[in-house]
Amino acid sequence: MSEIQWQEPICGGGGNACLQVGHDANGTPILRETARPHELLTTTREGLRNFIEAAKRGDLDHLL
């Protein structure tokens, strides 16, 4: 996999559970937990957009 450009980690509530989002040279979105930096989840831009929009609508609140 080519070099990944990571955004700053998103950490909530002062805990250690941080999620980081980045992209590779092709623009493929990649997610990881900072506690497990070698475990990567790739998706499509559309898939990431749909996930973010669902979270904004509250569709994922039952998971918290």
Side-chain angles (χ1 to χ4, degrees):
M1 184 174 287
S2 62
E3 187 169 329
I4 300 169
Q5 301 297 313
W6 294 106
Q7 300 290 318
E8 289 295 316
I10 301 165
C11 303
N16 294 342
C18 301
L19 183 66
Q20 201 166 20
V21 179
H23 62 85
D24 65 14
N26 296 321
T28 301
I30 305 167
L31 294 94
R32 71 177 179 183
E33 289 189 40
T34 55
R36 296 180 172 156
H38 299 294
E39 295 180 21
L40 306 178
L41 173 66
T42 61
T43 186
T44 62
R45 293 174 64 94
E46 181 181 12
L48 181 58
R49 181 181 303 110
N50 291 341
F51 182 82
I52 291 169
E53 289 175 356
K56 285 181 178 181
R57 285 192 308 269
D59 294 349
L60 306 174
D61 289 356
H62 67 283
L63 299 171
L64 303 175

Coordinates of all heavy atoms in Angstrom, one line a residue:
M1 N 0.9 -1.2 0.0 CA 0.0 0.0 0.0 C 0.9 1.2 0.0 O 1.9 1.3 0.7 CB -0.9 0.0 1.2 CG -1.9 1.1 1.3 SD -3.1 1.0 2.6 CE -4.1 -0.3 2.0
S2 N 0.5 2.2 -0.8 CA 1.3 3.4 -0.8 C 1.2 4.2 0.5 O 0.4 3.9 1.3 CB 0.9 4.3 -2.0 OG -0.5 4.7 -1.8
E3 N 2.0 5.3 0.6 CA 2.0 6.1 1.8 C 0.7 6.7 2.0 O 0.0 7.2 1.1 CB 3.1 7.2 1.7 CG 3.2 7.9 2.9 CD 4.4 8.9 2.9 OE1 5.4 8.6 2.3 OE2 4.3 9.9 3.6
I4 N 0.3 6.7 3.3 CA -1.0 7.2 3.7 C -0.9 8.5 4.3 O 0.0 8.8 5.2 CB -1.7 6.2 4.7 CG1 -1.8 4.8 4.0 CG2 -3.0 6.7 5.1 CD1 -2.2 3.7 5.0
Q5 N -1.8 9.5 3.9 CA -1.8 10.8 4.5 C -2.9 10.8 5.6 O -4.1 10.7 5.3 CB -2.1 11.8 3.5 CG -1.1 11.9 2.3 CD 0.3 12.3 2.8 OE1 0.4 13.3 3.6 NE2 1.3 11.5 2.4
W6 N -2.5 10.8 6.9 CA -3.5 10.7 8.0 C -3.9 12.1 8.5 O -3.1 13.0 8.5 CB -2.8 9.9 9.2 CG -2.5 8.5 8.9 CD1 -1.3 7.9 8.6 CD2 -3.5 7.5 8.7 NE1 -1.5 6.6 8.4 CE2 -2.8 6.3 8.4 CE3 -4.9 7.4 8.9 CZ2 -3.4 5.0 8.3 CZ3 -5.5 6.2 8.7 CH2 -4.8 5.0 8.4
Q7 N -5.2 12.2 8.9 CA -5.7 13.3 9.6 C -5.3 13.2 11.0 O -5.0 12.1 11.5 CB -7.2 13.4 9.4 CG -7.7 13.5 8.0 CD -7.4 14.9 7.4 OE1 -7.5 15.9 8.0 NE2 -6.9 14.8 6.1
E8 N -5.5 14.3 11.8 CA -5.3 14.2 13.3 C -6.3 13.2 13.8 O -7.5 13.1 13.4 CB -5.5 15.5 13.9 CG -4.4 16.5 13.6 CD -3.0 16.1 14.2 OE1 -3.0 15.6 15.4 OE2 -2.0 16.2 13.5
P9 N -5.9 12.4 14.8 CA -6.8 11.4 15.4 C -8.1 12.1 16.1 O -7.9 13.2 16.6 CB -6.0 10.7 16.5 CG -4.6 11.0 16.2 CD -4.6 12.3 15.4
I10 N -9.2 11.4 16.0 CA -10.4 11.9 16.6 C -10.6 11.1 17.9 O -10.8 9.8 17.9 CB -11.6 11.7 15.7 CG1 -11.4 12.4 14.4 CG2 -12.9 12.1 16.4 CD1 -12.3 12.0 13.3
C11 N -10.4 11.7 19.1 CA -10.5 11.0 20.4 C -11.7 11.7 21.2 O -11.8 12.9 21.2 CB -9.2 11.2 21.2 SG -7.8 10.6 20.3
G12 N -12.5 10.8 21.8 CA -13.6 11.4 22.5 C -13.4 11.1 24.0 O -12.9 10.1 24.5
G13 N -13.9 12.1 24.8 CA -14.0 11.9 26.2 C -12.7 11.7 27.0 O -12.7 11.1 28.1
G14 N -11.6 12.1 26.4 CA -10.3 12.0 27.0 C -9.8 10.5 27.2 O -8.8 10.3 27.8
G15 N -10.5 9.6 26.5 CA -10.1 8.2 26.6 C -9.0 7.9 25.5 O -8.5 8.8 24.8
N16 N -8.7 6.6 25.5 CA -7.6 6.2 24.5 C -8.2 5.7 23.2 O -7.5 5.2 22.4 CB -6.8 5.0 25.2 CG -6.0 5.5 26.3 OD1 -5.8 6.7 26.5 ND2 -5.6 4.6 27.2
A17 N -9.5 5.7 23.1 CA -10.2 5.2 21.9 C -10.2 6.3 20.8 O -11.0 7.1 20.8 CB -11.6 4.7 22.2
C18 N -9.2 6.3 20.0 CA -9.0 7.3 18.9 C -9.1 6.6 17.6 O -8.6 5.6 17.3 CB -7.6 7.9 19.0 SG -7.3 8.7 20.6
L19 N -9.9 7.3 16.7 CA -10.1 6.9 15.3 C -9.3 7.8 14.4 O -9.4 9.0 14.6 CB -11.6 6.8 14.9 CG -11.9 6.3 13.6 CD1 -11.5 4.8 13.5 CD2 -13.4 6.5 13.3
Q20 N -8.7 7.3 13.4 CA -7.9 8.1 12.5 C -8.3 7.8 11.1 O -8.5 6.7 10.7 CB -6.4 7.9 12.7 CG -5.5 9.0 12.2 CD -4.1 8.8 12.7 OE1 -3.7 7.8 13.1 NE2 -3.4 9.9 12.7
V21 N -8.5 8.8 10.3 CA -8.9 8.7 8.9 C -7.8 9.3 8.0 O -7.3 10.3 8.3 CB -10.3 9.5 8.6 CG1 -10.7 9.3 7.2 CG2 -11.4 9.0 9.6
G22 N -7.6 8.6 6.9 CA -6.6 9.1 6.0 C -7.0 8.6 4.6 O -8.0 8.1 4.4
H23 N -6.0 8.8 3.7 CA -6.2 8.4 2.3 C -4.9 8.1 1.7 O -3.9 8.6 2.1 CB -7.0 9.5 1.5 CG -6.2 10.8 1.4 ND1 -5.3 11.0 0.4 CD2 -6.3 11.9 2.1 CE1 -4.8 12.2 0.5 NE2 -5.4 12.8 1.6
D24 N -4.9 7.2 0.7 CA -3.7 6.9 0.0 C -3.5 7.7 -1.2 O -4.3 8.7 -1.4 CB -3.6 5.4 -0.3 CG -4.7 4.9 -1.3 OD1 -5.3 5.8 -2.0 OD2 -4.8 3.7 -1.5
A25 N -2.5 7.5 -2.0 CA -2.2 8.3 -3.2 C -3.4 8.3 -4.2 O -3.5 9.2 -5.0 CB -0.9 7.9 -3.8
N26 N -4.2 7.2 -4.2 CA -5.3 7.1 -5.1 C -6.6 7.8 -4.6 O -7.6 7.7 -5.2 CB -5.6 5.7 -5.4 CG -4.4 5.0 -6.2 OD1 -3.8 5.6 -7.0 ND2 -4.1 3.8 -5.8
G27 N -6.5 8.3 -3.4 CA -7.7 8.9 -2.7 C -8.6 7.9 -2.0 O -9.7 8.2 -1.6
T28 N -8.1 6.6 -1.9 CA -8.9 5.6 -1.2 C -9.0 5.9 0.3 O -7.9 6.1 1.0 CB -8.3 4.2 -1.3 OG1 -8.2 3.9 -2.8 CG2 -9.0 3.1 -0.6
P29 N -10.1 6.1 0.9 CA -10.3 6.4 2.3 C -9.8 5.1 3.2 O -10.1 4.0 2.8 CB -11.7 6.6 2.6 CG -12.3 7.0 1.2 CD -11.4 6.2 0.3
I30 N -9.1 5.4 4.3 CA -8.6 4.4 5.1 C -8.8 4.8 6.6 O -8.6 6.0 6.9 CB -7.1 4.2 4.9 CG1 -6.8 3.9 3.4 CG2 -6.5 3.1 5.8 CD1 -5.4 3.9 3.0
L31 N -9.3 3.9 7.4 CA -9.5 4.1 8.8 C -8.7 3.2 9.7 O -8.4 2.1 9.2 CB -11.0 4.0 9.1 CG -12.0 4.9 8.5 CD1 -12.5 4.3 7.2 CD2 -13.1 5.3 9.4
R32 N -8.4 3.7 10.9 CA -7.7 2.8 11.8 C -7.9 3.3 13.2 O -8.2 4.5 13.4 CB -6.2 2.7 11.5 CG -5.4 4.0 11.9 CD -4.0 3.9 11.6 NE -3.3 5.1 11.9 CZ -2.0 5.3 11.7 NH1 -1.2 4.3 11.3 NH2 -1.4 6.4 12.0
E33 N -7.8 2.5 14.2 CA -7.7 2.9 15.6 C -6.3 3.1 15.9 O -5.4 2.3 15.6 CB -8.3 1.8 16.5 CG -9.8 1.6 16.4 CD -10.3 0.7 17.5 OE1 -9.8 0.8 18.6 OE2 -11.2 -0.1 17.1
T34 N -6.0 4.2 16.6 CA -4.6 4.5 16.9 C -3.9 3.4 17.8 O -2.7 3.3 17.8 CB -4.4 5.9 17.6 OG1 -5.2 6.0 18.7 CG2 -4.8 7.0 16.6
A35 N -4.7 2.7 18.6 CA -4.2 1.6 19.4 C -3.8 0.4 18.6 O -3.0 -0.4 19.1 CB -5.2 1.2 20.5
R36 N -4.3 0.3 17.4 CA -4.0 -0.8 16.5 C -3.6 -0.2 15.1 O -4.3 -0.4 14.1 CB -5.2 -1.7 16.3 CG -5.6 -2.4 17.6 CD -6.7 -3.3 17.4 NE -7.0 -4.0 18.6 CZ -8.2 -4.5 18.9 NH1 -9.2 -4.4 18.1 NH2 -8.3 -5.2 20.1
P37 N -2.4 0.4 15.0 CA -2.1 1.2 13.8 C -1.9 0.3 12.6 O -1.9 0.9 11.4 CB -0.8 1.9 14.2 CG -0.3 1.2 15.3 CD -1.4 0.6 16.1
H38 N -1.7 -1.0 12.7 CA -1.4 -1.8 11.6 C -2.6 -2.5 11.0 O -2.6 -3.2 10.0 CB -0.3 -2.9 11.9 CG 1.0 -2.2 12.3 ND1 1.7 -1.5 11.4 CD2 1.6 -2.2 13.5 CE1 2.8 -1.0 12.0 NE2 2.8 -1.4 13.3
E39 N -3.8 -2.3 11.7 CA -5.1 -2.9 11.3 C -5.8 -1.8 10.5 O -6.3 -0.8 11.2 CB -5.9 -3.4 12.4 CG -5.2 -4.6 13.1 CD -6.0 -5.1 14.3 OE1 -7.2 -4.8 14.3 OE2 -5.4 -5.8 15.1
L40 N -5.9 -1.9 9.2 CA -6.5 -0.8 8.4 C -7.8 -1.3 7.8 O -7.9 -2.4 7.4 CB -5.5 -0.4 7.3 CG -4.1 0.0 7.7 CD1 -3.3 0.3 6.5 CD2 -4.1 1.1 8.7
L41 N -8.7 -0.4 7.7 CA -10.0 -0.6 7.0 C -10.1 0.3 5.8 O -10.0 1.6 6.0 CB -11.2 -0.4 8.0 CG -12.6 -0.4 7.3 CD1 -12.9 -1.9 6.9 CD2 -13.6 0.0 8.3
T42 N -10.2 -0.2 4.6 CA -10.4 0.6 3.5 C -11.8 0.6 3.0 O -12.6 -0.3 3.3 CB -9.5 0.2 2.3 OG1 -9.8 -1.1 1.9 CG2 -8.0 0.2 2.7
T43 N -12.2 1.7 2.4 CA -13.6 1.8 1.9 C -13.5 2.7 0.6 O -12.5 3.0 0.1 CB -14.5 2.4 2.9 OG1 -15.9 2.3 2.4 CG2 -14.2 3.8 3.3
T44 N -14.7 3.0 0.1 CA -14.8 3.9 -1.0 C -15.1 5.3 -0.5 O -15.6 5.4 0.6 CB -15.8 3.4 -2.0 OG1 -17.1 3.5 -1.4 CG2 -15.5 2.0 -2.6
R45 N -14.9 6.3 -1.3 CA -15.3 7.6 -0.9 C -16.8 7.7 -0.7 O -17.3 8.3 0.3 CB -14.9 8.7 -2.0 CG -13.4 8.8 -2.1 CD -13.0 9.7 -3.2 NE -13.5 11.1 -3.1 CZ -12.8 12.1 -2.5 NH1 -11.5 11.8 -2.1 NH2 -13.2 13.3 -2.4
E46 N -17.6 7.0 -1.6 CA -19.1 6.9 -1.4 C -19.4 6.2 -0.1 O -20.3 6.7 0.6 CB -19.7 6.2 -2.6 CG -21.2 6.2 -2.5 CD -21.8 5.4 -3.7 OE1 -21.1 4.8 -4.5 OE2 -23.1 5.5 -3.8
G47 N -18.8 5.1 0.2 CA -19.0 4.4 1.4 C -18.8 5.2 2.7 O -19.6 5.2 3.6
L48 N -17.6 6.0 2.7 CA -17.3 6.8 3.8 C -18.3 8.0 3.9 O -18.8 8.3 5.0 CB -15.9 7.4 3.6 CG -15.4 8.3 4.8 CD1 -15.5 7.6 6.1 CD2 -14.0 8.8 4.5
R49 N -18.7 8.5 2.8 CA -19.7 9.6 2.8 C -21.0 9.1 3.4 O -21.7 9.8 4.2 CB -19.9 10.1 1.4 CG -21.0 11.3 1.3 CD -21.2 11.8 -0.1 NE -20.0 12.2 -0.8 CZ -19.4 11.6 -1.8 NH1 -19.9 10.5 -2.3 NH2 -18.3 12.1 -2.3
N50 N -21.5 7.9 2.9 CA -22.7 7.4 3.4 C -22.7 7.1 4.9 O -23.6 7.4 5.7 CB -23.1 6.1 2.7 CG -23.4 6.3 1.3 OD1 -23.8 7.4 0.9 ND2 -23.3 5.2 0.5
F51 N -21.5 6.6 5.4 CA -21.3 6.4 6.8 C -21.4 7.7 7.6 O -22.1 7.7 8.7 CB -20.0 5.7 7.1 CG -19.7 5.3 8.5 CD1 -20.3 4.2 9.1 CD2 -19.0 6.2 9.3 CE1 -20.0 3.9 10.4 CE2 -18.7 5.9 10.6 CZ -19.3 4.7 11.2
I52 N -20.7 8.7 7.2 CA -20.7 10.0 7.9 C -22.1 10.6 7.9 O -22.6 11.1 8.9 CB -19.7 10.9 7.3 CG1 -18.3 10.4 7.5 CG2 -19.9 12.4 7.8 CD1 -17.2 11.2 6.8
E53 N -22.8 10.5 6.8 CA -24.2 11.1 6.7 C -25.1 10.3 7.6 O -26.0 10.9 8.3 CB -24.7 11.1 5.3 CG -24.0 12.1 4.4 CD -24.4 12.0 2.9 OE1 -25.1 11.1 2.5 OE2 -23.9 12.9 2.2
A54 N -25.0 9.0 7.7 CA -25.8 8.2 8.6 C -25.5 8.6 10.1 O -26.5 8.7 10.9 CB -25.6 6.7 8.4
A55 N -24.3 8.8 10.4 CA -23.9 9.2 11.8 C -24.5 10.6 12.1 O -25.0 10.8 13.2 CB -22.4 9.2 11.9
K56 N -24.4 11.5 11.1 CA -25.0 12.8 11.4 C -26.5 12.8 11.6 O -27.1 13.5 12.4 CB -24.7 13.7 10.2 CG -23.3 14.2 10.1 CD -23.2 15.1 8.9 CE -21.8 15.7 8.7 NZ -21.7 16.6 7.5
R57 N -27.2 11.9 10.9 CA -28.7 11.7 11.0 C -29.0 11.0 12.3 O -30.2 11.0 12.7 CB -29.2 10.9 9.9 CG -29.3 11.6 8.6 CD -30.2 10.8 7.6 NE -29.8 9.4 7.4 CZ -28.9 9.0 6.5 NH1 -28.3 9.8 5.7 NH2 -28.5 7.7 6.5
G58 N -28.1 10.4 13.0 CA -28.4 9.7 14.2 C -28.7 8.2 14.0 O -29.1 7.5 14.9
D59 N -28.5 7.7 12.8 CA -28.9 6.4 12.4 C -28.0 5.3 13.2 O -28.3 4.2 13.2 CB -28.7 6.1 10.9 CG -29.7 6.9 10.1 OD1 -30.7 7.5 10.7 OD2 -29.6 6.9 8.9
L60 N -26.9 5.8 13.7 CA -25.9 4.9 14.4 C -25.9 5.0 15.9 O -25.1 4.4 16.6 CB -24.5 5.1 13.8 CG -24.4 5.0 12.3 CD1 -23.0 5.3 11.8 CD2 -24.8 3.6 11.8
D61 N -26.8 5.9 16.4 CA -26.8 6.2 17.8 C -27.0 4.9 18.7 O -26.6 4.8 19.8 CB -27.8 7.2 18.2 CG -27.5 8.6 17.7 OD1 -26.3 8.8 17.1 OD2 -28.3 9.5 17.8
H62 N -27.7 3.9 18.2 CA -28.0 2.7 18.9 C -26.8 1.9 19.2 O -26.8 1.0 20.0 CB -29.1 1.9 18.2 CG -28.6 1.3 16.9 ND1 -28.5 2.1 15.8 CD2 -28.2 0.1 16.6 CE1 -28.0 1.3 14.8 NE2 -27.8 0.1 15.2
L63 N -25.7 2.2 18.5 CA -24.4 1.5 18.7 C -23.6 2.0 19.8 O -22.6 1.4 20.2 CB -23.6 1.6 17.4 CG -24.2 0.9 16.1 CD1 -23.4 1.2 14.9 CD2 -24.4 -0.6 16.3
L64 N -24.0 3.2 20.3 CA -23.2 3.8 21.4 C -23.7 3.4 22.8 O -24.8 3.1 23.0 CB -23.3 5.4 21.3 CG -22.8 5.9 20.0 CD1 -23.0 7.4 19.9 CD2 -21.3 5.6 19.8

